[in-house]
Amino acid sequence: MTINVGDKIPSTKLKMKTSDGIQEVTTEELFGGKKVVVFALPGAFTPTCSAKHLPGFIQKADEMRAKGVDKIACVSVNDAFVMDAWGRDQGAGDKVMMLADGNAEFSDALGLSFDASGFGMGKRSQRYAMVVEDGVVRALHVEQPGAFEVSSADAVLNVL
C-alpha cells in the first residue's frame, strides 16, 4: 500500500556517511518535530537525477528554508558511500542530506519502490517528493515512470 497525504511515516532506518563513519538515521530522528522535504530518485549518478533532480534542491535550499523547512533529504536505493560521493560531486554540502536506503526498506515501507531489474538496477525507489511535518505527510508528488514533472524543487516550493 502506498503512503498518502495525512499518513504517518513508518518507522524505518536510513544510513548517512559522516566524518564519524556510517550513521543510522531513524525516521523518528529525521522527521520528529520538524518540517522536512524529502525527495527520492531511482539512483545516484543517473542522468535525470544528476542533471535535474538533486541540483534543483541544492539550488533552491535557501528558498525552502525561508519557507520554514528544517531539513531537505535526498533518498536513493544506494549505499551510504555512493550517496556521500554523489553529494560531494554535486556540491550538496549542508544543503541536502544524502540518505542511503540500501536495502529499499524505507522505499518499501512507503510503498514507493519498484523493480528495475529489466534495466540491471534491481529494486529502486520511485521518483517523488514529499513534505513531512512532525512525521506526517502533508504533500506527496509521485512521478509517472520516466517522468520528471511533479517532484522538482520548484514543484515543492509551490506547495510550501
Side-chain angles (χ1 to χ4, degrees), residues 3-9 131-140:
I3 196 157
N4 291 296
V5 172
D7 290 349
K8 186 165 177 45
I9 296 288
V131 178
V132 180
E133 291 184 36
D134 195 21
V136 177
V137 178
R138 296 296 178 209
L140 175 63

Side-chain angles (χ1 to χ4, degrees), residues 29-44:
E29 293 167 330
L30 180 61
F31 298 112
K34 299 174 199 84
K35 185 175 189 177
V36 181
V37 168
V38 178
F39 66 102
L41 32 83

